[in-house]
Coordinates of all heavy atoms in Angstrom, one line a residue:
M429 N 81.4 71.3 7.4 CA 81.3 70.7 8.7 C 82.0 69.3 8.6 O 81.8 68.6 7.7 CB 79.9 70.5 9.2 CG 79.2 71.8 9.5 SD 77.5 71.6 10.1 CE 76.6 71.4 8.6
D430 N 82.7 69.0 9.7 CA 83.3 67.7 9.7 C 83.3 67.1 11.1 O 82.6 67.6 11.9 CB 84.8 67.8 9.1 CG 85.6 68.7 10.0 OD1 85.2 69.2 11.0 OD2 86.8 69.0 9.6
A431 N 84.0 66.0 11.3 CA 84.0 65.3 12.6 C 84.5 66.3 13.7 O 84.0 66.2 14.8 CB 84.9 64.1 12.5
T432 N 85.5 67.1 13.4 CA 86.0 68.0 14.4 C 84.9 69.0 14.9 O 84.7 69.3 16.0 CB 87.2 68.9 13.9 OG1 88.1 67.9 13.4 CG2 87.7 69.7 14.9
F433 N 84.1 69.5 13.9 CA 83.0 70.4 14.2 C 81.9 69.7 15.1 O 81.5 70.2 16.1 CB 82.3 70.9 12.9 CG 81.1 71.7 13.1 CD1 81.1 73.0 13.5 CD2 79.9 71.1 12.8 CE1 80.0 73.7 13.7 CE2 78.7 71.8 13.0 CZ 78.8 73.1 13.4
L434 N 81.6 68.4 14.7 CA 80.6 67.7 15.5 C 81.1 67.4 16.9 O 80.4 67.4 17.8 CB 80.2 66.4 14.7 CG 79.4 66.6 13.5 CD1 79.3 65.3 12.7 CD2 78.1 67.2 13.8
E435 N 82.4 67.1 17.0 CA 83.0 66.8 18.3 C 82.9 68.0 19.2 O 82.7 67.9 20.4 CB 84.4 66.3 18.2 CG 84.5 64.8 17.7 CD 83.8 63.9 18.6 OE1 83.8 64.0 19.9 OE2 83.1 63.0 18.1
A436 N 83.2 69.2 18.6 CA 83.1 70.4 19.4 C 81.7 70.7 19.9 O 81.5 71.0 21.0 CB 83.6 71.6 18.5
L437 N 80.7 70.4 19.0 CA 79.3 70.5 19.4 C 79.0 69.5 20.5 O 78.2 69.8 21.4 CB 78.4 70.3 18.2 CG 78.3 71.5 17.3 CD1 77.4 71.1 16.1 CD2 77.7 72.8 18.0
R438 N 79.5 68.3 20.3 CA 79.2 67.2 21.3 C 79.7 67.7 22.7 O 79.0 67.4 23.7 CB 79.9 65.9 20.9 CG 79.5 64.7 21.7 CD 80.0 63.4 21.1 NE 79.0 63.0 20.1 CZ 79.2 63.0 18.8 NH1 80.4 63.3 18.3 NH2 78.3 62.6 17.9
K439 N 80.8 68.4 22.8 CA 81.4 68.9 24.1 C 80.6 70.1 24.6 O 80.5 70.3 25.8 CB 82.8 69.2 23.9 CG 83.7 67.9 23.7 CD 85.1 68.3 23.5 CE 86.0 67.0 23.2 NZ 87.3 67.4 22.8
E440 N 80.2 71.0 23.6 CA 79.6 72.2 24.0 C 78.1 72.2 24.4 O 77.7 72.8 25.4 CB 79.7 73.2 22.8 CG 79.1 74.5 23.0 CD 79.1 75.4 21.7 OE1 80.0 75.2 20.9 OE2 78.3 76.2 21.6
L441 N 77.4 71.3 23.7 CA 75.9 71.3 24.0 C 75.6 70.5 25.3 O 76.2 69.5 25.5 CB 75.2 70.7 22.8 CG 75.2 71.5 21.5 CD1 74.7 70.7 20.4 CD2 74.5 72.8 21.6
P442 N 74.6 71.0 26.0 CA 74.1 70.3 27.2 C 73.3 69.1 26.7 O 72.9 69.0 25.5 CB 73.2 71.3 27.9 CG 72.8 72.3 26.9 CD 73.9 72.3 25.8
P443 N 72.9 68.2 27.6 CA 72.1 67.0 27.2 C 70.8 67.4 26.5 O 70.4 66.7 25.6 CB 71.8 66.3 28.5 CG 72.9 66.8 29.4 CD 73.2 68.2 29.0
T444 N 70.1 68.4 26.9 CA 68.9 68.9 26.2 C 69.1 70.4 26.1 O 69.7 71.1 27.0 CB 67.6 68.6 26.9 OG1 67.7 69.1 28.3 CG2 67.4 67.1 27.0
F445 N 68.5 71.0 25.0 CA 68.7 72.4 24.8 C 67.6 72.9 23.9 O 67.0 72.2 23.2 CB 70.1 72.7 24.2 CG 70.4 71.8 23.0 CD1 70.1 72.3 21.7 CD2 71.0 70.6 23.2 CE1 70.4 71.4 20.7 CE2 71.3 69.8 22.1 CZ 71.0 70.2 20.8
S446 N 67.4 74.2 24.0 CA 66.3 74.9 23.2 C 66.8 75.1 21.7 O 67.9 75.0 21.4 CB 65.9 76.2 23.8 OG 67.0 77.1 23.6
R447 N 65.8 75.4 20.9 CA 66.0 75.7 19.5 C 67.0 76.9 19.4 O 67.8 77.0 18.5 CB 64.7 76.0 18.8 CG 64.8 76.1 17.3 CD 63.4 76.3 16.8 NE 62.7 75.1 16.6 CZ 61.4 75.0 16.7 NH1 60.6 76.0 17.0 NH2 60.8 73.8 16.6
Q448 N 66.8 77.9 20.3 CA 67.7 79.1 20.3 C 69.1 78.7 20.6 O 70.0 79.3 20.0 CB 67.2 80.1 21.3 CG 65.9 80.9 20.8 CD 64.7 80.0 20.8 OE1 64.5 79.0 21.5 NE2 63.7 80.3 19.9
V449 N 69.3 77.8 21.5 CA 70.7 77.3 21.9 C 71.3 76.6 20.6 O 72.5 76.8 20.3 CB 70.7 76.4 23.1 CG1 72.0 75.8 23.3 CG2 70.3 77.3 24.3
A450 N 70.5 75.8 20.0 CA 71.0 75.1 18.8 C 71.4 76.1 17.7 O 72.5 76.0 17.1 CB 69.9 74.2 18.2
A451 N 70.6 77.2 17.5 CA 70.9 78.2 16.5 C 72.2 78.9 16.9 O 73.0 79.2 16.0 CB 69.7 79.1 16.3
E452 N 72.3 79.2 18.1 CA 73.5 79.9 18.6 C 74.8 79.1 18.3 O 75.8 79.6 17.9 CB 73.4 80.3 20.1 CG 74.6 81.0 20.6 CD 74.8 82.4 20.0 OE1 73.8 83.0 19.5 OE2 76.0 82.9 20.1
A453 N 74.7 77.7 18.6 CA 75.8 76.8 18.4 C 76.1 76.7 16.9 O 77.3 76.4 16.5 CB 75.5 75.5 19.0
L454 N 75.1 76.9 16.0 CA 75.3 76.7 14.6 C 75.3 78.1 13.9 O 74.8 78.2 12.7 CB 74.1 75.9 14.0 CG 74.0 74.4 14.5 CD1 72.8 73.8 14.0 CD2 75.3 73.6 14.2
K455 N 75.8 79.1 14.5 CA 75.8 80.4 13.9 C 76.1 80.4 12.4 O 77.1 79.9 12.0 CB 76.9 81.3 14.6 CG 76.7 81.6 16.0 CD 77.8 82.3 16.6 CE 77.7 82.3 18.1 NZ 79.0 82.6 18.8
G456 N 75.2 81.1 11.7 CA 75.4 81.2 10.3 C 75.0 80.0 9.5 O 75.0 80.0 8.2
I457 N 74.7 78.9 10.1 CA 74.4 77.7 9.4 C 72.8 77.5 9.4 O 72.2 77.3 8.4 CB 75.1 76.4 9.9 CG1 76.6 76.7 9.8 CG2 74.7 75.2 9.2 CD1 77.4 75.6 10.5
Y458 N 72.3 77.4 10.6 CA 70.8 77.3 10.8 C 70.4 78.3 11.8 O 70.9 78.4 12.9 CB 70.4 75.9 11.3 CG 70.5 74.8 10.2 CD1 71.4 73.8 10.3 CD2 69.6 74.8 9.1 CE1 71.5 72.8 9.4 CE2 69.7 73.8 8.2 CZ 70.7 72.8 8.3 OH 70.7 71.9 7.4
S459 N 69.4 79.1 11.5 CA 68.8 80.0 12.5 C 67.7 79.2 13.2 O 67.2 78.2 12.8 CB 68.2 81.2 11.8 OG 67.0 80.8 11.0
A460 N 67.2 79.8 14.3 CA 66.1 79.2 15.1 C 64.8 79.1 14.2 O 64.1 78.1 14.2 CB 65.8 80.0 16.3
G461 N 64.6 80.1 13.3 CA 63.5 80.1 12.4 C 63.6 79.0 11.4 O 62.6 78.3 11.1
R462 N 64.8 78.8 10.9 CA 64.9 77.7 9.9 C 64.8 76.3 10.5 O 64.1 75.5 9.9 CB 66.3 77.8 9.3 CG 66.6 76.8 8.2 CD 65.7 76.9 7.0 NE 66.0 75.9 6.0 CZ 65.1 75.4 5.2 NH1 63.8 75.8 5.2 NH2 65.4 74.4 4.4
L463 N 65.3 76.2 11.8 CA 65.0 74.9 12.5 C 63.5 74.7 12.7 O 63.1 73.6 12.6 CB 65.8 74.9 13.8 CG 67.3 74.8 13.7 CD1 68.0 75.1 15.0 CD2 67.7 73.4 13.1
C464 N 62.8 75.8 13.0 CA 61.4 75.7 13.2 C 60.7 75.2 11.9 O 59.8 74.3 11.9 CB 60.8 77.0 13.7 SG 59.1 77.1 13.9
T465 N 61.1 75.8 10.8 CA 60.5 75.5 9.5 C 60.8 74.0 9.2 O 59.9 73.3 8.8 CB 61.1 76.4 8.4 OG1 60.7 77.7 8.7 CG2 60.5 76.0 7.0
L466 N 62.0 73.6 9.4 CA 62.4 72.2 9.1 C 61.6 71.2 10.0 O 61.1 70.2 9.5 CB 63.9 72.0 9.3 CG 64.8 72.6 8.2 CD1 66.2 72.6 8.7 CD2 64.6 71.9 6.9
D467 N 61.4 71.6 11.3 CA 60.6 70.8 12.2 C 59.2 70.6 11.7 O 58.6 69.6 11.7 CB 60.7 71.3 13.6 CG 61.9 71.0 14.3 OD1 62.7 70.1 13.9 OD2 62.2 71.7 15.3
S468 N 58.6 71.8 11.2 CA 57.2 71.7 10.8 C 57.0 70.9 9.5 O 55.9 70.4 9.3 CB 56.7 73.2 10.6 OG 57.3 73.8 9.5
M469 N 58.1 70.8 8.7 CA 58.0 70.0 7.5 C 58.4 68.5 7.8 O 58.4 67.7 6.8 CB 59.0 70.6 6.4 CG 58.6 72.0 6.0 SD 59.6 72.6 4.6 CE 61.2 72.1 4.9
G470 N 58.7 68.2 9.0 CA 59.1 66.8 9.3 C 60.6 66.5 8.9 O 61.0 65.4 8.8
K471 N 61.4 67.6 8.6 CA 62.7 67.4 8.2 C 63.8 67.9 9.2 O 65.0 67.9 8.9 CB 63.0 68.1 6.8 CG 62.1 67.6 5.7 CD 62.4 68.3 4.4 CE 61.5 67.8 3.3 NZ 61.7 68.5 2.1
G472 N 63.3 68.3 10.3 CA 64.2 68.9 11.4 C 64.7 67.8 12.3 O 64.5 66.6 12.1
P473 N 65.4 68.3 13.3 CA 66.0 67.3 14.2 C 65.0 66.7 15.2 O 65.3 65.7 15.8 CB 67.0 68.2 15.0 CG 66.6 69.6 14.8 CD 65.9 69.6 13.5
G474 N 63.8 67.1 15.1 CA 62.8 66.6 16.0 C 63.1 67.0 17.5 O 64.2 67.3 17.8
G475 N 62.1 67.1 18.2 CA 62.3 67.5 19.6 C 61.0 67.3 20.4 O 60.0 66.7 19.9
V476 N 61.0 67.9 21.6 CA 59.8 67.9 22.4 C 59.4 69.3 22.8 O 60.3 70.1 22.9 CB 60.0 67.0 23.7 CG1 60.2 65.6 23.3 CG2 61.1 67.5 24.5
R477 N 58.1 69.5 22.9 CA 57.7 70.8 23.3 C 57.5 70.8 24.8 O 56.8 70.0 25.3 CB 56.4 71.2 22.6 CG 55.9 72.6 22.9 CD 54.8 73.0 22.0 NE 55.2 73.2 20.6 CZ 55.8 74.3 20.2 NH1 56.1 75.3 21.0 NH2 56.1 74.4 18.9
I478 N 58.1 71.7 25.5 CA 57.9 71.9 26.9 C 57.4 73.3 27.1 O 58.1 74.3 27.0 CB 59.2 71.7 27.7 CG1 59.8 70.3 27.4 CG2 59.0 71.9 29.2 CD1 61.2 70.1 27.9
G479 N 56.1 73.4 27.3 CA 55.4 74.7 27.3 C 55.5 75.3 26.0 O 55.0 74.8 25.0
R480 N 56.2 76.5 25.9 CA 56.3 77.2 24.6 C 57.7 77.0 24.0 O 58.0 77.6 23.0 CB 56.1 78.7 24.8 CG 54.7 79.0 25.3 CD 54.4 80.4 25.6 NE 54.5 81.2 24.4 CZ 54.3 82.5 24.3 NH1 54.2 83.2 25.4 NH2 54.3 83.1 23.1
V481 N 58.5 76.1 24.6 CA 59.9 75.9 24.1 C 60.0 74.5 23.5 O 59.5 73.6 24.0 CB 60.9 76.1 25.3 CG1 62.3 75.8 24.9 CG2 60.8 77.5 25.9
V482 N 60.7 74.5 22.3 CA 61.0 73.2 21.7 C 62.4 72.8 22.2 O 63.3 73.7 22.1 CB 61.0 73.3 20.2 CG1 61.6 72.0 19.6 CG2 59.6 73.5 19.7
A483 N 62.6 71.6 22.7 CA 63.9 71.2 23.2 C 64.3 70.0 22.4 O 63.6 69.2 22.0 CB 63.8 70.8 24.7
Y484 N 65.6 70.0 22.1 CA 66.3 68.9 21.4 C 67.1 68.1 22.3 O 67.7 68.6 23.3 CB 67.2 69.4 20.3 CG 66.4 70.2 19.2 CD1 66.8 71.5 18.9 CD2 65.4 69.7 18.5 CE1 66.2 72.3 17.9 CE2 64.7 70.4 17.6 CZ 65.1 71.7 17.3 OH 64.5 72.4 16.3
E485 N 67.2 66.8 22.1 CA 68.1 65.9 22.8 C 69.4 65.9 22.0 O 69.4 65.7 20.8 CB 67.5 64.5 22.9 CG 68.2 63.6 23.8 CD 69.3 62.8 23.1 OE1 69.2 62.5 21.9 OE2 70.3 62.5 23.7
K486 N 70.6 66.0 22.7 CA 71.9 66.2 22.1 C 72.2 65.1 21.1 O 72.6 65.4 19.9 CB 73.0 66.3 23.1 CG 74.3 66.5 22.5 CD 75.5 66.8 23.4 CE 75.6 66.0 24.6 NZ 76.8 66.4 25.4
G487 N 72.0 63.8 21.5 CA 72.4 62.7 20.6 C 71.6 62.7 19.3 O 72.1 62.6 18.2
A488 N 70.3 62.9 19.4 CA 69.4 62.9 18.2 C 69.7 64.1 17.3 O 69.7 64.0 16.1 CB 67.9 63.0 18.7
F489 N 70.0 65.3 18.0 CA 70.3 66.5 17.2 C 71.6 66.3 16.4 O 71.6 66.6 15.2 CB 70.4 67.7 18.1 CG 70.7 68.9 17.4 CD1 69.7 69.7 16.8 CD2 72.0 69.4 17.4 CE1 70.1 70.9 16.2 CE2 72.4 70.6 16.7 CZ 71.4 71.3 16.1
L490 N 72.6 65.7 17.0 CA 73.9 65.5 16.3 C 73.8 64.5 15.2 O 74.4 64.6 14.2 CB 75.0 65.2 17.3 CG 75.3 66.3 18.3 CD1 76.3 65.8 19.3 CD2 75.9 67.5 17.5
R491 N 73.0 63.4 15.4 CA 72.8 62.4 14.4 C 72.0 63.1 13.2 O 72.4 62.8 12.0 CB 72.0 61.2 14.9 CG 72.8 60.3 15.7 CD 72.0 59.0 16.1 NE 70.8 59.3 16.8 CZ 70.8 59.4 18.2 NH1 71.9 59.4 18.9 NH2 69.6 59.6 18.8
W492 N 71.0 63.9 13.5 CA 70.3 64.6 12.4 C 71.3 65.5 11.6 O 71.3 65.5 10.4 CB 69.2 65.5 13.0 CG 68.6 66.4 12.0 CD1 67.6 66.1 11.1 CD2 68.9 67.8 11.9 NE1 67.3 67.2 10.4 CE2 68.1 68.3 10.8 CE3 69.7 68.7 12.5 CZ2 68.1 69.6 10.4 CZ3 69.8 70.0 12.1 CH2 69.0 70.5 11.1
L493 N 72.1 66.3 12.4 CA 73.0 67.2 11.7 C 74.1 66.5 10.9 O 74.4 66.9 9.7 CB 73.7 68.1 12.8 CG 74.7 69.2 12.3 CD1 73.9 70.2 11.4 CD2 75.3 69.9 13.5
E494 N 74.6 65.4 11.4 CA 75.6 64.6 10.7 C 75.0 64.0 9.4 O 75.6 64.0 8.4 CB 76.0 63.4 11.6 CG 77.2 62.7 11.0 CD 77.7 61.6 12.0 OE1 77.0 61.2 12.9 OE2 78.9 61.3 11.8
G495 N 73.7 63.7 9.4 CA 73.0 63.2 8.2 C 72.8 64.3 7.2 O 72.6 64.0 6.0
R496 N 72.9 65.5 7.5 CA 72.7 66.6 6.6 C 74.1 67.1 6.0 O 74.1 68.0 5.2 CB 72.0 67.8 7.3 CG 70.6 67.3 7.6 CD 69.8 68.5 8.1 NE 69.5 69.5 7.2 CZ 68.5 69.5 6.3 NH1 67.7 68.5 6.3 NH2 68.3 70.5 5.5
I497 N 75.2 66.6 6.5 CA 76.5 67.1 6.0 C 76.8 66.4 4.7 O 76.8 65.2 4.5 CB 77.6 66.7 7.1 CG1 77.3 67.5 8.4 CG2 79.0 67.0 6.5 CD1 78.3 67.1 9.5
N498 N 77.1 67.3 3.7 CA 77.6 66.9 2.4 C 79.1 67.1 2.4 O 79.5 68.2 2.4 CB 76.9 67.7 1.3 CG 75.5 67.4 1.2 OD1 75.0 66.3 1.4 ND2 74.7 68.4 0.9
T499 N 79.9 66.0 2.3 CA 81.3 66.2 2.3 C 81.8 66.2 0.8 O 81.4 65.2 0.1 CB 82.0 65.1 3.1 OG1 81.5 63.9 2.7 CG2 81.9 65.4 4.5
P500 N 82.5 67.2 0.4 CA 83.0 67.2 -1.0 C 84.0 66.1 -1.2 O 84.8 65.8 -0.3 CB 83.6 68.6 -1.2 CG 83.9 69.0 0.2 CD 82.9 68.3 1.1
S501 N 84.0 65.6 -2.4 CA 85.1 64.6 -2.7 C 85.8 65.1 -3.9 O 85.2 65.5 -4.9 CB 84.5 63.2 -3.0 OG 84.0 63.1 -4.3
G502 N 87.1 65.1 -3.9 CA 88.0 65.6 -5.0 C 87.7 67.1 -5.2 O 87.6 67.9 -4.3
N503 N 87.7 67.4 -6.5 CA 87.5 68.8 -6.8 C 86.0 69.1 -7.2 O 85.8 70.1 -8.0 CB 88.4 69.2 -8.0 CG 89.9 69.2 -7.5 OD1 90.1 69.5 -6.4 ND2 90.8 68.9 -8.4
K504 N 85.1 68.3 -6.8 CA 83.7 68.5 -7.2 C 83.2 69.8 -6.5 O 83.5 70.1 -5.4 CB 82.8 67.4 -6.8 CG 83.1 66.1 -7.6 CD 82.2 65.0 -7.2 CE 82.4 63.7 -8.0 NZ 81.6 62.7 -7.6
R505 N 82.4 70.6 -7.3 CA 81.8 71.7 -6.7 C 80.6 71.4 -5.9 O 79.9 70.4 -6.2 CB 81.4 72.7 -7.9 CG 82.6 73.3 -8.6 CD 82.1 74.2 -9.6 NE 81.0 75.0 -9.2 CZ 80.9 76.4 -9.3 NH1 81.9 77.0 -9.8 NH2 79.9 77.0 -8.9
L506 N 80.3 72.1 -4.9 CA 79.2 71.9 -4.1 C 77.9 72.6 -4.6 O 76.8 72.4 -4.1 CB 79.4 72.3 -2.6 CG 80.5 71.5 -1.9 CD1 80.7 72.1 -0.5 CD2 80.0 70.1 -1.7
G507 N 78.1 73.5 -5.5 CA 76.9 74.2 -6.0 C 76.8 75.5 -5.3 O 77.6 75.9 -4.4
G508 N 75.8 76.3 -5.6 CA 75.6 77.6 -5.0 C 76.5 78.7 -5.6 O 76.9 78.5 -6.7
C509 N 76.7 79.7 -4.9 CA 77.4 80.9 -5.5 C 78.9 80.6 -5.4 O 79.4 80.0 -4.5 CB 77.2 82.1 -4.6 SG 75.4 82.6 -4.7
A510 N 79.6 81.0 -6.5 CA 81.0 80.8 -6.5 C 81.8 82.0 -6.0 O 81.3 83.1 -5.9 CB 81.4 80.6 -8.0

């Protein structure tokens, strides 16, 4: 993920949105379930509960996501499967 990715999300996402909308925007990166788990551990983007729905504010969500981005430098491996 890079600045271009974040800019695309900034344009695509509404001012507030549900966890499911966030997962759809982050296809293959974070599922709604994973966002729920991260929120319950205090490591998620944070949000507000409106009835049975958790809603995120766009600015806070994008700051959280940006803070989780690891940008590789040089030829360093990121780890995980090769």
Side-chain angles (χ1 to χ4, degrees):
M429 289 184 278
D430 61 9
T432 305
F433 174 75
L434 290 172
E435 284 304 315
L437 284 177
R438 188 168 278 114
K439 291 176 185 176
E440 176 185 336
L441 292 171
T444 57
F445 50 91
S446 69
R447 191 178 277 148
Q448 285 71 27
V449 170
E452 181 65 25
L454 299 173
K455 292 178 194 159
I457 299 171
Y458 287 112
S459 67
R462 181 65 180 150
L463 289 169
C464 179
T465 300
L466 289 169
D467 283 340
S468 70
M469 295 186 320
K471 297 178 180 180
V476 295
R477 183 170 293 281
I478 303 171
R480 297 176 70 181
V481 175
V482 171
Y484 298 125
E485 188 273 327
K486 180 169 50 175
F489 180 81
L490 292 174
R491 284 189 298 278
W492 169 82
L493 185 60
E494 188 173 26
R496 296 187 64 87
I497 295 174
N498 293 323
T499 47
S501 80
N503 290 329
K504 292 183 180 178
R505 290 180 45 127
L506 291 176
C509 299

